[in-house]
């Protein structure tokens, strides 16, 4: 068994390569990166494929608005297939569906 250390960025990219390139899943990189880095972390997914990672400890204190510093996460029991949803979104986008093209991605996630 090989116990070499793998940096988190490399681990995330390897996971992305396997899921997106090898398995052909129509997914993004968010899940792989948060699984690799954990915690409260900001990711900037650049058009060139690079990912900038900023841990919460590095956020500028002025960027956090007063009263918005508490974060609660709840499991609702509801699950969904990201691959199926993203495949549908891709199909609608390629088909010129104006509702899909004009609506920001963050709004799409809420309506799913």
């Amino acid at each position: 068994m090989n116990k070499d250390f793998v940096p988190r960025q490399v681990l995330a990219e390897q996971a992305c390569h396997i899921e997106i390139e090898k398995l052909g899943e129509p997914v993004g990189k968010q899940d792989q990166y948060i699984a690799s880095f954990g915690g409260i972390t900001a990711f900037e997914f650049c058009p060139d494929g690079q990912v900038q990672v900023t841990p919460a400890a590095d956020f500028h204190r002025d960027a956090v608005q007063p009263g918005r510093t508490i974060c609660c996460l709840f499991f609702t029991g509801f699950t969904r297939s990201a691959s199926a949803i993203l495949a549908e979104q891709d199909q609608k986008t390629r088909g010129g569906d104006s509702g899909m093209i004009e609506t920001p991605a963050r709004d799409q996630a809420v309506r799913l």
Side-chain angles (χ1 to χ4, degrees):
M1 180 189 230
N2 189 351
K3 295 184 180 185
D4 290 339
F5 174 78
V6 177
R8 291 185 275 186
Q9 186 93 19
V10 172
L11 179 63
E13 281 301 320
Q14 288 175 345
C16 291
H17 177 73
I18 291 168
E19 191 169 8
I20 298 167
E21 302 299 325
K22 296 282 187 183
L23 298 177
E25 292 292 332
V27 297
K29 294 183 174 185
Q30 298 89 335
D31 291 347
Q32 299 87 340
Y33 268 83
I34 196 60
S36 180
F37 282 86
I40 299 176
T41 308
F43 301 102
E44 181 181 349
F45 299 92
C46 304
D48 67 358
Q50 296 294 315
V51 179
Q52 302 297 321
V53 180
T54 306
D58 294 345
F59 293 157
H60 192 278
R61 296 206 188 280
D62 292 340
V64 179
Q65 297 175 0
R68 297 191 69 178
T69 58
I70 297 173
C71 177
C72 296
L73 300 176
F74 299 92
F75 178 62
T76 63
F78 179 75
T79 60
R80 61 183 176 78
S81 167
S83 296
I85 291 168
L86 291 169
E88 179 184 350
Q89 288 177 349
D90 183 59
Q91 180 182 16
K92 286 181 178 180
T93 300
R94 290 176 192 271
D97 183 305
S98 62
M100 178 61 67
I101 295 168
E102 294 171 11
T103 304
R106 67 180 180 277
D107 294 338
Q108 289 294 325
V110 172
R111 286 192 263 141
L112 299 174

